[in-house]
Structures are given as C-alpha cells and as structure tokens.
Amino acid sequence: GVRLAPKERLEIPVLFMPAEMKIYKAVVVIHVMRENGENWSCEVTAESNTDLNRNVTVAENGETQGILWIYPINGTPEAPQQKSVVIRCQARQRLEQRVELLLIGVMPGASALPDAGNSAMVNTDESSNTPEVTDGSCATLEFLYELQYQSDEIRSQLESLVGMQLVQKEWDTESRIVTLIFNVVFAPSKPMRNEATLVIQCTAGGLWKFPLVFIATEPEVDDVINIVAVGLNKESIVGFKLTSQTR
C-alpha cells in the first residue's frame, strides 16, 4: 500500500536481532503495480527470458501486471567483543604457545551451511576440514578462522612472524561452550607491539572475534665491548663485525 511518485526513493529498514548463534535467512520481496490498476502493455511470452518470468506477475491477457524485486538476506550473529589475548616473546627468540578460546552459544545440529560466496573472509588453508555439520557432536562442528590485521602496514610486519593452527576442539553439551585450542608460533626479529583480530566462524552459525596483542620485548645483549684507554687525550679503537640476517 505504499505510494511512490516518479523518481521517488523508498527506504526499507531491516532489523536483525538474533536470539541464538545460528544462521538466519529471509527474503524481502517488493511488488510494484500501477496505482490505477492498469497493466503494462508489454506481454510476457513463452520465448521470454526465464528470469523475466520469475520477476513479473502476468495478467490473464498476457500483459504485465506487476514487477517483483527479490532480495535474499543472510543473517550471521556475532558474539560480543572478547577480552584481548596477549602473546609476549623476546625479540630474536621463538615462542610456541597454546591458546584456549571459548565460543559461547554454539548451535549444534544445524544442517544449513553458509553459501560459498559468503566465506571470502575465511582462510581455508588454516581452517578445519570437517565436511559438514551432521549431528550434535563436537567432531562434526566445522570452524573457519582467519587472522585479520588493522592495516596493510601491520600485516607486513606480523604476517611472516606469526603462525596459527587449530589443534583441538572440545564441546560442553550442557553449557553449549566450545573450546578451541590453537597452537600459536611467534618469532619476532625486533621489538614491537602490534594488534590483530582472530575471526572464527562456525558453519552452523555464529561469528566470534578475539583481539590478539603481539608484544616483542628487547632482545638479549649480543656482547660487551671493552675499550681500554692508552692514555689521556689519545684515541683507542676496537673493531667488531656485524652480520645482516637478510639482504
């Protein structure tokens, strides 16, 4: 019953308030007809495009009675912001650490999987290879994850220094909390402090984000150089070599 003048804009608000961590799907359908009830003179024949047949309503005489626009909506619930996980290592050292992350509200038993086009943010090289969600056991829950950076500069500094791998997952059926255990490797070459976000998506529905803080402290002293003075107002010289680890 909404009337639109020529060239007028219509805004359709969509509210998403998920009650559970699962995939929600809906469709917004807009049906446009002439205000005077007349049809458009163009006829839809059997030779017409099949897409056209799906997007118009046809009157008995073959004329176009209405035009349809169909917009699918996929809703993915996102958990509240989690506490930061700090990974600390001394520069020029290598740290291998187990990190446990809790996913609250996981919905087992959901058969709907996200469309392939909606998972561009997922790094499939680092994701679980479970084929699909089939029942309520933890082994059938698939989780996709990716380490995201705030800027390309931070990515260039951290990407080659950080490695993550999902090694174990545990599920508490009563509390519906899934514990993911990651093996994190951090090998900084110089002191730094950078942040990244670990984004985890469950194929049964739900998105969790965990801020990670990578801190590289000052390295150990390489050596102590002693310079012995040969006398007052006279120069003393000590030579030493520096080797570059890169080109």
Side-chain angles (χ1 to χ4, degrees), residues 23-24 69 78 122 167 192 209 226 233 243:
I23 297 175
Y24 292 85
W69 284 270
E78 181 175 333
V122 176
V167 294
M192 67 171 66
K209 295 183 178 181
N226 295 316
N233 299 320
T243 303

Side-chain angles (χ1 to χ4, degrees), residues 87-89 93-99 126 147 149 158-167 182-188 212 214:
I87 310 296
R88 187 186 303 269
C89 179
Q93 299 293 327
R94 182 180 184 275
L95 173 69
E96 188 167 349
Q97 179 178 332
R98 292 291 181 97
V99 176
E126 297 181 354
L147 199 59
Y149 307 92
L158 278 181
E159 197 168 32
S160 60
L161 307 178
V162 177
M164 297 193 67
Q165 183 180 7
L166 178 61
V167 294
F182 288 86
N183 186 45
V184 181
V185 177
F186 183 35
L212 302 180
F214 295 93

Side-chain angles (χ1 to χ4, degrees), residues 29-44:
V29 180
I30 301 172
H31 189 200
V32 175
M33 296 179 294
R34 284 186 171 182
E35 184 178 9
N36 57 14
E38 296 181 359
N39 300 328
W40 282 278
S41 58
C42 58
E43 295 184 3
V44 179

Side-chain angles (χ1 to χ4, degrees), residues 16-22 24 77 105 107 176:
F16 180 47
M17 189 172 60
E20 297 177 334
M21 297 293 283
K22 64 180 182 180
Y24 292 85
M107 289 295 297
R176 292 196 312 185

Side-chain angles (χ1 to χ4, degrees), residues 6-238:
K7 305 281 187 174
E8 187 177 355
R9 181 189 301 268
L10 173 64
E11 294 186 359
I12 302 177
V14 177
L15 174 65
F16 180 47
M17 189 172 60
E20 297 177 334
M21 297 293 283
K22 64 180 182 180
I23 297 175
Y24 292 85
K25 292 188 177 182
V27 176
V28 174
V29 180
I30 301 172
H31 189 200
V32 175
M33 296 179 294
R34 284 186 171 182
E35 184 178 9
N36 57 14
E38 296 181 359
N39 300 328
W40 282 278
S41 58
C42 58
E43 295 184 3
V44 179
T45 62
E47 292 78 16
S48 300
N49 191 297
T50 56
D51 290 337
L52 185 62
N53 287 327
R54 290 200 298 266
N55 293 330
V56 298
T57 54
V58 183
E60 294 181 357
N61 58 2
E63 293 182 345
T64 301
Q65 186 179 26
I67 304 175
L68 291 173
W69 284 270
I70 302 174
Y71 297 92
I73 297 178
N74 296 326
T76 300
E78 181 175 333
Q81 185 77 10
Q82 306 295 318
K83 293 183 179 180
S84 298
V85 178
V86 179
I87 310 296
R88 187 186 303 269
C89 179
Q90 190 176 26
R92 296 199 306 234
Q93 299 293 327
R94 182 180 184 275
L95 173 69
E96 188 167 349
Q97 179 178 332
R98 292 291 181 97
V99 176
E100 293 188 3
L101 302 178
L102 302 182
L103 309 184
I104 300 176
V106 177
M107 289 295 297
S111 58
L113 295 177
D115 298 331
N118 296 335
S119 56
M121 52 73 64
V122 176
N123 186 343
T124 54
D125 292 338
E126 297 181 354
S127 62
S128 170
N129 294 322
T130 307
E132 61 180 10
V133 178
T134 56
D135 56 34
S137 64
C138 179
T140 59
L141 291 175
E142 182 182 4
F143 296 94
L144 311 174
Y145 61 95
E146 180 195 23
L147 199 59
Q148 295 182 349
Y149 307 92
Q150 297 178 349
S151 65
D152 293 337
E153 181 181 359
I154 296 179
R155 175 185 294 274
S156 63
Q157 294 178 4
L158 278 181
E159 197 168 32
S160 60
L161 307 178
V162 177
M164 297 193 67
Q165 183 180 7
L166 178 61
V167 294
Q168 188 177 350
K169 50 186 176 180
E170 301 173 354
W171 181 41
D172 188 337
T173 55
E174 295 183 0
S175 62
R176 292 196 312 185
I177 296 179
V178 172
T179 302
L180 299 185
I181 302 177
F182 288 86
N183 186 45
V184 181
V185 177
F186 183 35
S189 58
K190 59 182 179 181
M192 67 171 66
R193 179 188 175 93
N194 284 321
E195 297 181 2
T197 301
L198 179 61
V199 180
I200 303 175
Q201 181 179 5
C202 179
T203 52
L207 194 69
W208 294 262
K209 295 183 178 181
F210 295 88
L212 302 180
V213 181
F214 295 93
I215 300 176
T217 59
E218 292 289 337
E220 295 182 358
V221 175
D222 293 288
D223 200 356
V224 177
I225 299 173
N226 295 316
I227 303 177
V228 181
V230 295
L232 293 177
N233 299 320
K234 294 183 179 180
E235 292 182 353
S236 297
I237 299 176
V238 173

